[in-house]
Each structure stands twice: as structure tokens, then as C-alpha cells.
Amino acid sequence: MSKLKLKVKQLPTKPGVYKFLGPRGEVLYVGKAKNLRSRVGQYFNNSDTRAQLPFLIAEAVDLDVIVVNSELESLFLENTLIKEYLPNYNIKLRDDKNYAFIKIDYSSQIPQINYARKVDETKSLGTNQSSQHFGPYSSTKKIRQTLDFLRRVFPYCANKQIGKRPCFYYHLHRCPGVCIGAVSLEDYALVLKKISLFLSGNTVLVKKQLQNEMTFAAKKKQFESAAKLRDQLQAITVLEEKQLTLYPQLVNWDFLSVYSTGLNACVNLFKVRGGKLIDKENFIYDNVAGFAEITRDSQVLQTFSEQYYSEASDLPKKVFTQVELSNHALVMKLLSMRAKRVVEVQTPRQGDKLKTIKLGKANAEQYLQKWQSSQADNLDAINETLNELQALLNLPTLPKRIEGYDISNTQGTNPVGSMVVAKNGQAAKSEYRKFKIVGKNTPDDFGMMREMLERRLKRSINGKEEERWPLPDLIVIDGGKGQLGVAVEVLQNMNQAIPVVGLAKRIEEIFLPHNSKPIVLPHDNPILQMLQRLRDEAHRFGITFHKSLRSKQAVKSALDTIPGIGPKTKKLLKQKIGTVEQIRHAPIETLVELIGSAKTELIKKHLR
């Protein structure tokens, strides 16, 4: 505490982001401030009355800050860091993957339409056009429904390059044939423009374009083209007819309502475009119990507004909120900056706008209650499965903490180990760990598993008590008898009586120590499914890390062979352009601008 108080006195009085850190360097909380010294000081002078505050301050052992130029910059940085660290004390979306977006990616010859979990601002090589992102959406299910509608109305291609073979959707009449040259790239770009307008909520302009093109095609007696355009126009008209008209004026407004309980909150977003209710989204938030009931809704809507509107592609002309935001001016500044026009944020007190807000609150309450009921059912099922797992394996205690381990390597190169954690049957991603295997560079999964487990267990035995990792109630190894034998040997050598099982992929057999016969469960058995999820997650986590190292190695080895290209140049090329393949095909002008003509000539010569 005294160390933190001393740090607070030394903080600058500038805008920035602050992080409270735990005993292992983990990020406990991320916050933003217009004045760092003043804001962080409130944590120690009793002016901040949040119920969670004493627990945060008791757990925190250090403080780190990042100074920025403005309060708006601190907002963007705070959002980025919260997504990166998922701090336990921050209000956050229940789905830790955060929002999802529809993405039009222009980096390939035929632009691709897909979904993305984050906005990528990287520009396509050799062009000034960025990838376009639309959303955010509360779920990928909603994105799939939208993309299915789009593909039926405006068929688009799944291939990245023009070639001799059409994409799968061409045979279903869901691709116009740009992949085999049946439609030119220029004409296909017009299709993408309509899709972009539609996803931006501008259906009025899309319909106008379709009407003009249909009239022109009919005049030219291109009746087949005119019929397709007519069908597209009708499809959008039918969609609009299904949408509820809330206001006779052609207004573009957002309505934010919230319903909260002691543990969770749900934000309901009504998007009104052209006077019609075109979309409804619901977002569940965790960690709201720490706020006083009188300010909770305001804090939740403030958090939602900052996170959502810092990434949203379709910005309204006005936003109406159920309660006054805790920092109303900052959200207005954010919206106006991103929309490049003034966007008002208001709290209606009467009339139709208040009725819409109340309707949104009723929707939020219904959605939250339904979600909590499903969570309770799911929790009951998880507890039942954990009890059955304990009985099946004859475990001494209920396996509240289960750790899964996997090894990833390619012929022994860039070997990595992964550890994933499930607490009370659910993924605890903040406790996942990656291990770079240093003792082996030849294919030896047993030796690599031994090294990883020894290093992991030392984290629970050695060092200061407050820095030790908690021991698991059960260890799950990806593999059969061999891998399990290694784990048993390591545990015995380190005097750890932790139950361990192996899960072999071939027919999903569960191997137990000192038992020649495995347990074989039906594929729909909840115990097997729980262990499979843990094993598959360990594999996914490990292979992602392995691919990352392999990619870095590929860049390093290829560029290291070029005389005159030093570490700074390699780092710059990797940051600004990417892989060796992208560097090889990058336009000469791009490279010259980055590293000069002499080095560009060297790179082009060696990477032919």
C-alpha cells in the first residue's frame, strides 16, 4: 500500500491509462484518466466508493501508467488493454471474445467477405484501401444470418484468385462467376459497393441504385439482368416491410437501455435507421456488483458506449440513453470525432423516445433473465459432470481445477508446450500458459512433455508463496500410455500426488496410471466431452503459439541470409509489411519508402 501511495504522488498530471498489477505481474484493473495523479489518487482517499475497491487495493502490489496526449486517446488505449488482459476487476462483456464484425478484405485479387473478432486497420499492399468492417454484432450467429441473406440477394465469391475452377457457391448460383472471369473485377466491385451500402444501413440508396440499373437494363432490352435486379430490389423491400416503423421521420437514432442485477447487466441497443427499427442487440456484462445500485446503470452504459462506439461502423445522428452517462461529454466527443459531425447524446424524459427506452429496458430484462436461467441450467450440468468425473476416476476431491497439456512442433523445430486451465468446468483463459521448449530440438514428444511438466510444477513449489501457481486437482495429458507414463514419472520425482489421465485421440480412450485397460466412454458422454474440450483447447492454444514462432523463424532465416540487412531493417519490414512472401511481392515503391533504394535492391535480388 505505501509503495503504491508513493507512486501516486509521483504520477504526472497528464491524460493516460493506469494498470493495477498483482503479485505475479498480472493486470488486475485497467482505467483511464484525464489527470493520472488526480484519478489514481481517488483510490486511496476514500472518494471512490465502489464495493470492489478494497479487494482490488488489497491484491495490487504495483502500478503502471501510460501517458497519452488526450482523454480520447486514453479511451482507445484502455479498450485495447482490457481486451488484451481481460482484467478481473473491470466491467467486461460476458463473451470474452468481445464483439464480432463483418469484414470485406481487399488484400486478395477477389476481395473476401467474412467475419472478424477485431478491427484490422492494416492497408492492402500497393493500395490505399483498407479492409472494411461493419458492426459490431453481439454474436457470430447474427453475422451468419446476415451473410446468408447477402449471398442470396447479392451473390459474392469465396475464391481469392481468378482461375479455371469456380468456387463452391457458383454451382449454387450464389456467386456471379468472378472467380472464372464470367464477371469482370470492375463489375464485381459494384456488387461489393452495394453490399457495403447495405451493411452500413443505407438501404434507401441501395434501392435507388437497383431501380436505376433495372430501368437502364430494361431499356437496353437486357431482360435477364433486369429480372435479377428486380429480384434483389424485391428482397430488400420485403426485408424492410418486416421492420417495425417507430418514427414517421427518416431518423437515424440509437437507443440504449439497461437492466442490471447484483451480478450481471444487460444492455439493449435499438438501431433505428430511416425511422425503422432495423436491428436489436443485447450485450451481457460481468463484474457490475462493485458499483452502488444508484450509479450502476450509468457506469454500465458508460462502459458500453465507450467500447461499442469506438469500433462501430454505422454511427447514428443521435443517441438516447436510459440514464445520464457518468462522462457524457467524452462519449459525445468520441461519437462526433468518429462520425466527423456532431452527434448528440440525450436522456429522454417523456414522449415517444422515453417509450422506446422503456421498451428496450423490458427487452434487456427479459434477455438477462433468460440468459441467467440458461447459465444456471448449464452450471447444474457442469457440477453434475464434475461429480461423475470424480466418481469415475475415484478422485480424492472434486476436480474444481483441471489442467490440460499438449506439445506442438514440426519435426522437432520450434517446439512449444501449452497449459490450459478449467475452473469449475469453465475455461480460465487468464491462467493459460505457454512454454518454449529449450531442451529439445529433435522430435521427442516424451522429452518435451517431461520438460514442460517439470517447469510447470516448479512454479508451484519454488519461489515466494504469493507468486506460486495453484496446483490442479486433475491433470489431463494429450496422448496415450507413453505420454501418461512420462507425467506419472515427473509427478513421482517431484513428490506430487496429483491425479493424472491421458486422453488418446484415436478412439478417445481415457488412460489411467498403472492400468493397462483404458476407459472407453460413449461419444455423447458429458465426461468425455468435457475432457475433449480441454484437450482440444490445449492443442489449439499450443498450435497457435507454434505457428507464431514458425512464422517468426521463417522471416528471420530468409532475411538473415541477405548481407547488409540488419536487425532494425528486419524488424521494420516485419512490422510494416509482414511475412517473407508479402515482402517478396511488395511494390518496389513501398519498400523504397521504408528502407531506401539500396536495401530494396538487395532484398529484391535475394528474394526472387
Side-chain angles (χ1 to χ4, degrees):
M1 176 78 81
S2 57
K3 178 186 174 182
L4 291 178
K5 283 185 175 180
L6 183 63
K7 275 203 166 188
V8 171
K9 293 178 181 178
Q10 298 169 346
L11 291 179
T13 55
K14 294 181 178 180
V17 170
Y18 55 93
K19 296 182 289 184
F20 282 105
L21 307 176
R24 294 188 298 276
E26 71 275 24
V27 178
L28 302 174
Y29 182 82
V30 175
K32 64 181 177 304
K34 195 172 183 178
N35 180 320
L36 282 167
R37 187 188 302 170
S38 173
R39 177 67 189 99
V40 180
Q42 292 175 2
Y43 285 78
F44 301 95
N45 61 14
N46 299 323
S47 59
D48 191 326
T49 58
R50 284 177 289 175
Q52 65 181 3
L53 196 60
F55 302 99
L56 169 62
I57 297 302
E59 195 173 344
V61 298
D62 203 356
L63 176 70
D64 189 22
V65 301
I66 303 171
V67 176
V68 297
N69 294 315
S70 67
E71 187 180 17
L72 208 52
E73 278 188 31
S74 71
L75 183 154
F76 287 112
L77 180 57
E78 179 195 39
N79 283 339
T80 300
L81 295 178
I82 288 173
K83 288 177 186 176
E84 180 180 352
Y85 295 113
L86 301 175
N88 287 335
Y89 287 93
N90 280 91
I91 297 178
K92 52 182 178 284
L93 275 175
R94 186 65 179 84
D95 175 9
D96 60 14
K97 292 186 177 105
N98 268 327
Y99 306 121
F101 299 82
I102 291 176
K103 175 182 179 180
I104 304 181
D105 184 1
Y106 295 94
S107 63
S108 54
Q109 186 183 26
I110 301 174
Q112 297 294 290
I113 302 177
N114 213 319
Y115 79 90
R117 283 292 183 184
K118 60 181 179 179
V119 175
D120 177 16
E121 300 294 348
T122 305
K123 293 185 177 179
S124 305
L125 289 176
T127 74
N128 292 319
Q129 191 170 25
S130 301
S131 299
Q132 283 184 284
H133 294 78
F134 304 91
Y137 296 84
S138 57
S139 69
T140 53
K141 179 182 177 182
K142 208 154 197 174
I143 286 180
R144 285 194 296 271
Q145 291 171 344
T146 303
L147 291 181
D148 181 61
F149 175 80
L150 275 175
R151 200 181 280 283
R152 285 185 285 110
V153 178
F154 301 112
Y156 60 90
C157 188
N159 282 359
K160 293 184 177 182
Q161 302 288 333
I162 297 173
K164 293 181 180 179
R165 287 189 176 185
C167 74
F168 169 76
Y169 291 99
Y170 178 75
H171 302 290
L172 303 176
H173 307 290
R174 296 286 184 263
C175 165
V178 64
C179 42
I180 52 172
V183 171
S184 69
L185 287 170
E186 290 75 19
D187 288 341
Y188 188 64
L190 297 177
V191 175
L192 293 178
K193 187 175 181 181
K194 292 190 186 79
I195 290 174
S196 175
L197 286 170
F198 177 85
L199 291 173
S200 299
N202 202 338
T203 54
V204 175
L205 188 53
V206 175
K207 287 173 65 178
K208 187 176 179 180
Q209 284 189 6
L210 289 172
Q211 184 69 57
N212 291 340
E213 289 175 20
M214 184 176 69
T215 304
F216 181 79
K219 284 181 179 178
K220 292 285 185 180
K221 298 186 178 181
Q222 297 170 348
F223 299 118
E224 188 177 342
S225 296
K228 287 181 180 178
L229 292 163
R230 178 203 61 205
D231 293 344
Q232 291 175 345
L233 186 59
Q234 286 178 347
I236 293 177
T237 302
V238 169
L239 179 68
E240 284 187 322
E241 286 172 354
K242 292 179 181 178
Q243 295 166 347
L244 176 66
T245 299
L246 289 183
Y247 297 92
Q249 314 98 310
L250 300 179
V251 295
N252 294 339
W253 294 341
D254 280 359
F255 290 84
L256 305 183
S257 305
V258 60
Y259 180 81
S260 60
T261 62
L263 296 174
N264 305 105
C266 177
V267 173
N268 182 91
L269 166 64
F270 282 151
K271 292 177 73 172
V272 177
R273 298 295 181 267
K276 294 177 181 288
L277 177 61
I278 68 162
D279 200 8
K280 183 197 84 164
E281 297 271 11
N282 290 105
F283 302 87
I284 302 289
Y285 278 85
D286 271 345
N287 286 4
V288 302
F291 294 101
E293 191 172 347
I294 194 170
T295 62
R296 184 185 298 149
D297 290 349
S298 176
Q299 292 285 354
V300 170
L301 284 184
Q302 180 73 33
T303 299
F304 172 81
S305 300
E306 291 175 5
Q307 292 178 348
Y308 184 85
Y309 290 119
S310 65
E311 298 183 273
S313 60
D314 179 18
L315 297 172
K317 291 187 176 177
K318 286 186 181 180
V319 176
F320 296 97
T321 63
Q322 178 180 316
V323 293
E324 290 278 357
L325 301 181
S326 57
N327 193 341
H328 168 274
L330 179 62
V331 175
M332 274 195 63
K333 193 184 293 185
L334 168 67
L335 280 159
S336 302
M337 182 272 291
R338 295 206 63 236
K340 296 182 173 62
R341 53 179 162 78
V342 175
V343 178
E344 296 181 28
V345 180
Q346 300 176 1
T347 303
R349 305 297 180 192
Q350 58 185 5
D352 291 340
K353 299 182 189 70
L354 181 59
K355 288 180 183 177
T356 305
I357 287 288
K358 288 181 176 179
L359 179 63
K361 183 178 181 180
N363 271 271
E365 180 178 3
Q366 181 185 30
Y367 189 91
L368 183 60
Q369 288 175 348
K370 184 179 178 182
W371 177 83
Q372 287 177 330
S373 176
S374 68
Q375 289 295 111
D377 292 342
N378 187 44
L379 192 59
D380 288 343
I382 288 172
N383 287 335
E384 185 179 346
T385 302
L386 288 175
N387 279 298
E388 289 175 357
L389 178 61
Q390 181 183 5
L392 177 71
L393 302 181
N394 195 26
L395 303 176
T397 60
L398 190 70
K400 293 183 178 181
R401 179 186 176 93
I402 308 176
E403 294 181 357
Y405 293 88
D406 188 28
I407 294 292
S408 298
N409 67 93
T410 304
Q411 296 298 311
T413 61
N414 297 306
V416 300
S418 59
M419 170 187 123
V420 298
V421 181
K423 294 170 76 173
N424 296 314
Q426 296 181 317
K429 295 193 175 182
S430 62
E431 299 190 40
Y432 286 13
R433 296 294 181 265
K434 299 175 285 195
F435 298 84
K436 254 187 180 181
I437 304 300
V438 295
K440 294 283 179 181
N441 54 14
T442 56
D444 181 2
D445 284 1
F446 294 167
M448 293 174 186
M449 181 65 75
R450 180 179 286 104
E451 178 186 329
M452 174 172 60
L453 289 174
E454 286 174 349
R455 285 167 56 188
R456 183 266 172 267
L457 290 170
K458 284 176 181 176
R459 290 281 193 167
S460 297
I461 301 170
N462 303 332
K464 297 177 182 177
E465 187 174 348
E466 64 271 16
E467 295 176 357
R468 292 176 188 170
W469 296 1
L471 286 168
D473 302 308
L474 175 66
I475 289 175
V476 178
I477 301 295
D478 178 24
K481 293 180 183 177
Q483 287 87 344
L484 179 62
V486 169
V488 170
E489 181 187 326
V490 171
L491 289 166
Q492 288 176 343
N493 291 342
M494 302 187 76
N495 296 316
Q496 296 298 316
I498 302 171
V500 57
V501 298
L503 184 60
K505 283 192 182 78
R506 191 171 64 86
I507 55 173
E508 304 293 23
E509 301 163 303
I510 303 171
F511 286 93
L512 304 180
H514 316 300
N515 195 330
S516 58
K517 290 186 178 180
I519 298 173
V520 180
L521 299 175
H523 285 284
D524 60 352
N525 186 288
I527 295 175
L528 178 62
Q529 291 173 345
M530 178 180 282
L531 296 178
Q532 284 174 326
R533 282 196 299 271
L534 191 78
R535 188 269 315 280
D536 294 345
E537 179 70 347
H539 181 70
R540 180 204 64 79
F541 188 57
I543 204 71
T544 302
F545 183 40
H546 170 64
K547 285 179 178 177
S548 167
L549 292 181
R550 209 169 63 197
S551 175
K552 289 177 183 177
Q553 181 67 32
V555 172
K556 180 182 175 184
S557 59
L559 295 181
D560 274 351
T561 61
I562 305 175
I565 302 299
K568 287 185 179 179
T569 304
K570 284 184 288 185
K571 185 178 180 181
L572 182 64
L573 287 168
K574 183 189 165 191
Q575 286 177 341
K576 298 294 184 181
I577 298 181
T579 65
V580 172
E581 194 63 23
Q582 288 173 319
I583 294 168
R584 179 180 285 113
H585 295 293
I588 290 176
E589 310 83 62
T590 304
L591 291 172
V592 170
E593 188 179 341
L594 274 176
I595 60 175
S597 56
K599 290 181 179 179
T600 297
E601 190 176 341
L602 281 171
I603 284 175
K604 286 296 183 182
K605 179 181 176 182
H606 284 80
L607 294 183
R608 284 176 183 168

